[in-house]
PDB file of all heavy atoms in Angstrom:
ATOM      1  N   ASP A 104     -18.850  53.188  21.915  1.00  0.00           N
ATOM      2  CA  ASP A 104     -18.522  51.981  22.668  1.00  0.00           C
ATOM      3  C   ASP A 104     -19.083  52.065  24.092  1.00  0.00           C
ATOM      4  O   ASP A 104     -19.551  53.100  24.527  1.00  0.00           O
ATOM      5  CB  ASP A 104     -17.022  51.776  22.723  1.00  0.00           C
ATOM      6  CG  ASP A 104     -16.425  51.589  21.329  1.00  0.00           C
ATOM      7  OD1 ASP A 104     -17.138  51.096  20.446  1.00  0.00           O
ATOM      8  OD2 ASP A 104     -15.248  51.955  21.144  1.00  0.00           O
ATOM      9  N   ARG A 105     -18.986  50.937  24.786  1.00  0.00           N
ATOM     10  CA  ARG A 105     -19.482  50.790  26.161  1.00  0.00           C
ATOM     11  C   ARG A 105     -20.977  51.073  26.245  1.00  0.00           C
ATOM     12  O   ARG A 105     -21.448  51.744  27.136  1.00  0.00           O
ATOM     13  CB  ARG A 105     -18.681  51.651  27.133  1.00  0.00           C
ATOM     14  CG  ARG A 105     -17.220  51.233  27.234  1.00  0.00           C
ATOM     15  CD  ARG A 105     -16.412  52.013  28.271  1.00  0.00           C
ATOM     16  NE  ARG A 105     -16.459  53.435  28.032  1.00  0.00           N
ATOM     17  CZ  ARG A 105     -16.944  54.329  28.889  1.00  0.00           C
ATOM     18  NH1 ARG A 105     -17.425  53.971  30.050  1.00  0.00           N
ATOM     19  NH2 ARG A 105     -16.927  55.623  28.590  1.00  0.00           N
ATOM     20  N   ILE A 106     -21.723  50.544  25.275  1.00  0.00           N
ATOM     21  CA  ILE A 106     -23.184  50.635  25.286  1.00  0.00           C
ATOM     22  C   ILE A 106     -23.687  49.190  25.376  1.00  0.00           C
ATOM     23  O   ILE A 106     -23.693  48.450  24.399  1.00  0.00           O
ATOM     24  CB  ILE A 106     -23.700  51.322  23.991  1.00  0.00           C
ATOM     25  CG1 ILE A 106     -23.144  52.748  23.920  1.00  0.00           C
ATOM     26  CG2 ILE A 106     -25.223  51.307  23.960  1.00  0.00           C
ATOM     27  CD1 ILE A 106     -23.469  53.477  22.630  1.00  0.00           C
ATOM     28  N   SER A 107     -24.052  48.799  26.573  1.00  0.00           N
ATOM     29  CA  SER A 107     -24.388  47.395  26.809  1.00  0.00           C
ATOM     30  C   SER A 107     -25.787  47.170  27.352  1.00  0.00           C
ATOM     31  O   SER A 107     -26.195  46.018  27.514  1.00  0.00           O
ATOM     32  CB  SER A 107     -23.363  46.788  27.780  1.00  0.00           C
ATOM     33  OG  SER A 107     -23.419  47.493  29.010  1.00  0.00           O
ATOM     34  N   GLN A 108     -26.527  48.233  27.635  1.00  0.00           N
ATOM     35  CA  GLN A 108     -27.855  48.065  28.200  1.00  0.00           C
ATOM     36  C   GLN A 108     -28.690  49.328  27.933  1.00  0.00           C
ATOM     37  O   GLN A 108     -28.165  50.311  27.439  1.00  0.00           O
ATOM     38  CB  GLN A 108     -27.769  47.819  29.692  1.00  0.00           C
ATOM     39  CG  GLN A 108     -27.091  48.950  30.452  1.00  0.00           C
ATOM     40  CD  GLN A 108     -26.807  48.569  31.901  1.00  0.00           C
ATOM     41  OE1 GLN A 108     -26.995  47.433  32.301  1.00  0.00           O
ATOM     42  NE2 GLN A 108     -26.354  49.531  32.678  1.00  0.00           N
ATOM     43  N   THR A 109     -29.973  49.255  28.279  1.00  0.00           N
ATOM     44  CA  THR A 109     -30.794  50.457  28.142  1.00  0.00           C
ATOM     45  C   THR A 109     -30.284  51.517  29.083  1.00  0.00           C
ATOM     46  O   THR A 109     -29.665  51.229  30.106  1.00  0.00           O
ATOM     47  CB  THR A 109     -32.277  50.152  28.446  1.00  0.00           C
ATOM     48  OG1 THR A 109     -32.394  49.636  29.768  1.00  0.00           O
ATOM     49  CG2 THR A 109     -32.848  49.150  27.458  1.00  0.00           C
ATOM     50  N   GLY A 110     -30.535  52.770  28.709  1.00  0.00           N
ATOM     51  CA  GLY A 110     -30.088  53.892  29.527  1.00  0.00           C
ATOM     52  C   GLY A 110     -29.620  55.030  28.643  1.00  0.00           C
ATOM     53  O   GLY A 110     -29.622  54.932  27.419  1.00  0.00           O
ATOM     54  N   SER A 111     -29.202  56.109  29.281  1.00  0.00           N
ATOM     55  CA  SER A 111     -28.729  57.306  28.567  1.00  0.00           C
ATOM     56  C   SER A 111     -27.213  57.352  28.537  1.00  0.00           C
ATOM     57  O   SER A 111     -26.555  57.086  29.548  1.00  0.00           O
ATOM     58  CB  SER A 111     -29.259  58.571  29.253  1.00  0.00           C
ATOM     59  OG  SER A 111     -30.666  58.639  29.058  1.00  0.00           O
ATOM     60  N   TYR A 112     -26.694  57.712  27.377  1.00  0.00           N
ATOM     61  CA  TYR A 112     -25.247  57.784  27.146  1.00  0.00           C
ATOM     62  C   TYR A 112     -24.922  59.160  26.567  1.00  0.00           C
ATOM     63  O   TYR A 112     -25.546  59.582  25.587  1.00  0.00           O
ATOM     64  CB  TYR A 112     -24.815  56.691  26.173  1.00  0.00           C
ATOM     65  CG  TYR A 112     -25.068  55.297  26.693  1.00  0.00           C
ATOM     66  CD1 TYR A 112     -26.298  54.659  26.457  1.00  0.00           C
ATOM     67  CD2 TYR A 112     -24.112  54.631  27.436  1.00  0.00           C
ATOM     68  CE1 TYR A 112     -26.527  53.382  26.935  1.00  0.00           C
ATOM     69  CE2 TYR A 112     -24.344  53.353  27.921  1.00  0.00           C
ATOM     70  CZ  TYR A 112     -25.558  52.733  27.668  1.00  0.00           C
ATOM     71  OH  TYR A 112     -25.788  51.470  28.153  1.00  0.00           O
ATOM     72  N   PRO A 113     -23.934  59.850  27.133  1.00  0.00           N
ATOM     73  CA  PRO A 113     -23.602  61.177  26.618  1.00  0.00           C
ATOM     74  C   PRO A 113     -22.860  61.103  25.281  1.00  0.00           C
ATOM     75  O   PRO A 113     -22.031  60.205  25.063  1.00  0.00           O
ATOM     76  CB  PRO A 113     -22.713  61.772  27.712  1.00  0.00           C
ATOM     77  CG  PRO A 113     -22.125  60.584  28.397  1.00  0.00           C
ATOM     78  CD  PRO A 113     -23.141  59.493  28.308  1.00  0.00           C
ATOM     79  N   LEU A 114     -23.179  62.010  24.391  1.00  0.00           N
ATOM     80  CA  LEU A 114     -22.421  62.221  23.147  1.00  0.00           C
ATOM     81  C   LEU A 114     -21.519  63.402  23.413  1.00  0.00           C
ATOM     82  O   LEU A 114     -21.995  64.489  23.732  1.00  0.00           O
ATOM     83  CB  LEU A 114     -23.389  62.507  21.989  1.00  0.00           C
ATOM     84  CG  LEU A 114     -24.392  61.402  21.689  1.00  0.00           C
ATOM     85  CD1 LEU A 114     -25.456  61.880  20.724  1.00  0.00           C
ATOM     86  CD2 LEU A 114     -23.689  60.169  21.153  1.00  0.00           C
ATOM     87  N   VAL A 115     -20.209  63.189  23.322  1.00  0.00           N
ATOM     88  CA  VAL A 115     -19.251  64.180  23.812  1.00  0.00           C
ATOM     89  C   VAL A 115     -18.246  64.579  22.739  1.00  0.00           C
ATOM     90  O   VAL A 115     -18.140  63.935  21.698  1.00  0.00           O
ATOM     91  CB  VAL A 115     -18.510  63.626  25.069  1.00  0.00           C
ATOM     92  CG1 VAL A 115     -19.479  63.451  26.212  1.00  0.00           C
ATOM     93  CG2 VAL A 115     -17.807  62.312  24.734  1.00  0.00           C
ATOM     94  N   LEU A 116     -17.513  65.639  23.020  1.00  0.00           N
ATOM     95  CA  LEU A 116     -16.504  66.150  22.100  1.00  0.00           C
ATOM     96  C   LEU A 116     -15.354  65.165  21.953  1.00  0.00           C
ATOM     97  O   LEU A 116     -14.909  64.855  20.846  1.00  0.00           O
ATOM     98  CB  LEU A 116     -15.996  67.510  22.578  1.00  0.00           C
ATOM     99  CG  LEU A 116     -15.123  68.304  21.626  1.00  0.00           C
ATOM    100  CD1 LEU A 116     -15.848  68.567  20.307  1.00  0.00           C
ATOM    101  CD2 LEU A 116     -14.701  69.608  22.255  1.00  0.00           C
ATOM    102  N   VAL A 117     -14.874  64.644  23.076  1.00  0.00           N
ATOM    103  CA  VAL A 117     -13.793  63.658  23.068  1.00  0.00           C
ATOM    104  C   VAL A 117     -14.198  62.533  24.015  1.00  0.00           C
ATOM    105  O   VAL A 117     -14.535  62.791  25.157  1.00  0.00           O
ATOM    106  CB  VAL A 117     -12.459  64.300  23.556  1.00  0.00           C
ATOM    107  CG1 VAL A 117     -11.369  63.247  23.620  1.00  0.00           C
ATOM    108  CG2 VAL A 117     -12.055  65.447  22.661  1.00  0.00           C
ATOM    109  N   GLY A 118     -14.216  61.307  23.510  1.00  0.00           N
ATOM    110  CA  GLY A 118     -14.596  60.188  24.363  1.00  0.00           C
ATOM    111  C   GLY A 118     -15.121  59.020  23.549  1.00  0.00           C
ATOM    112  O   GLY A 118     -14.924  58.953  22.332  1.00  0.00           O
ATOM    113  N   ASP A 119     -15.823  58.114  24.235  1.00  0.00           N
ATOM    114  CA  ASP A 119     -16.293  56.869  23.629  1.00  0.00           C
ATOM    115  C   ASP A 119     -17.500  57.022  22.703  1.00  0.00           C
ATOM    116  O   ASP A 119     -17.729  56.161  21.864  1.00  0.00           O
ATOM    117  CB  ASP A 119     -16.672  55.855  24.712  1.00  0.00           C
ATOM    118  CG  ASP A 119     -15.458  55.284  25.421  1.00  0.00           C
ATOM    119  OD1 ASP A 119     -14.361  55.356  24.861  1.00  0.00           O
ATOM    120  OD2 ASP A 119     -15.627  54.757  26.525  1.00  0.00           O
ATOM    121  N   ARG A 120     -18.290  58.062  22.880  1.00  0.00           N
ATOM    122  CA  ARG A 120     -19.531  58.185  22.106  1.00  0.00           C
ATOM    123  C   ARG A 120     -19.604  59.530  21.413  1.00  0.00           C
ATOM    124  O   ARG A 120     -19.442  60.561  22.055  1.00  0.00           O
ATOM    125  CB  ARG A 120     -20.725  57.990  23.028  1.00  0.00           C
ATOM    126  CG  ARG A 120     -20.795  56.566  23.513  1.00  0.00           C
ATOM    127  CD  ARG A 120     -21.825  56.388  24.600  1.00  0.00           C
ATOM    128  NE  ARG A 120     -21.272  55.491  25.607  1.00  0.00           N
ATOM    129  CZ  ARG A 120     -20.724  55.909  26.735  1.00  0.00           C
ATOM    130  NH1 ARG A 120     -20.721  57.165  27.056  1.00  0.00           N
ATOM    131  NH2 ARG A 120     -20.226  55.036  27.575  1.00  0.00           N
ATOM    132  N   LYS A 121     -19.869  59.484  20.112  1.00  0.00           N
ATOM    133  CA  LYS A 121     -19.836  60.709  19.324  1.00  0.00           C
ATOM    134  C   LYS A 121     -20.960  60.722  18.303  1.00  0.00           C
ATOM    135  O   LYS A 121     -21.620  59.728  18.051  1.00  0.00           O
ATOM    136  CB  LYS A 121     -18.504  60.819  18.591  1.00  0.00           C
ATOM    137  CG  LYS A 121     -17.317  60.902  19.516  1.00  0.00           C
ATOM    138  CD  LYS A 121     -16.039  60.997  18.747  1.00  0.00           C
ATOM    139  CE  LYS A 121     -14.863  60.995  19.716  1.00  0.00           C
ATOM    140  NZ  LYS A 121     -13.601  60.903  19.052  1.00  0.00           N
ATOM    141  N   VAL A 122     -21.104  61.882  17.665  1.00  0.00           N
ATOM    142  CA  VAL A 122     -22.030  62.059  16.554  1.00  0.00           C
ATOM    143  C   VAL A 122     -21.319  62.897  15.497  1.00  0.00           C
ATOM    144  O   VAL A 122     -20.540  63.789  15.832  1.00  0.00           O
ATOM    145  CB  VAL A 122     -23.357  62.706  17.026  1.00  0.00           C
ATOM    146  CG1 VAL A 122     -23.119  64.070  17.627  1.00  0.00           C
ATOM    147  CG2 VAL A 122     -24.369  62.769  15.909  1.00  0.00           C
ATOM    148  N   PHE A 123     -21.598  62.582  14.240  1.00  0.00           N
ATOM    149  CA  PHE A 123     -21.019  63.296  13.110  1.00  0.00           C
ATOM    150  C   PHE A 123     -22.141  63.702  12.153  1.00  0.00           C
ATOM    151  O   PHE A 123     -23.131  62.988  12.029  1.00  0.00           O
ATOM    152  CB  PHE A 123     -20.022  62.407  12.348  1.00  0.00           C
ATOM    153  CG  PHE A 123     -18.932  61.869  13.229  1.00  0.00           C
ATOM    154  CD1 PHE A 123     -19.035  60.614  13.798  1.00  0.00           C
ATOM    155  CD2 PHE A 123     -17.791  62.624  13.473  1.00  0.00           C
ATOM    156  CE1 PHE A 123     -18.029  60.123  14.617  1.00  0.00           C
ATOM    157  CE2 PHE A 123     -16.783  62.132  14.288  1.00  0.00           C
ATOM    158  CZ  PHE A 123     -16.903  60.880  14.851  1.00  0.00           C
ATOM    159  N   TYR A 124     -21.943  64.809  11.465  1.00  0.00           N
ATOM    160  CA  TYR A 124     -22.930  65.271  10.494  1.00  0.00           C
ATOM    161  C   TYR A 124     -22.222  65.748   9.235  1.00  0.00           C
ATOM    162  O   TYR A 124     -21.203  66.464   9.322  1.00  0.00           O
ATOM    163  CB  TYR A 124     -23.775  66.416  11.079  1.00  0.00           C
ATOM    164  CG  TYR A 124     -24.733  67.002  10.083  1.00  0.00           C
ATOM    165  CD1 TYR A 124     -25.888  66.311   9.710  1.00  0.00           C
ATOM    166  CD2 TYR A 124     -24.482  68.236   9.490  1.00  0.00           C
ATOM    167  CE1 TYR A 124     -26.764  66.851   8.783  1.00  0.00           C
ATOM    168  CE2 TYR A 124     -25.368  68.779   8.570  1.00  0.00           C
ATOM    169  CZ  TYR A 124     -26.498  68.083   8.221  1.00  0.00           C
ATOM    170  OH  TYR A 124     -27.370  68.608   7.299  1.00  0.00           O
TER     171      TYR A 124
END
Side-chain angles (χ1 to χ4, degrees):
D104 298 332
R105 296 184 303 119
I106 299 174
S107 61
Q108 60 190 7
T109 59
S111 291
Y112 298 89
L114 299 169
V115 294
L116 190 58
V117 177
D119 287 340
R120 291 171 221 99
K121 298 179 183 172
V122 60
F123 304 95
Y124 175 74

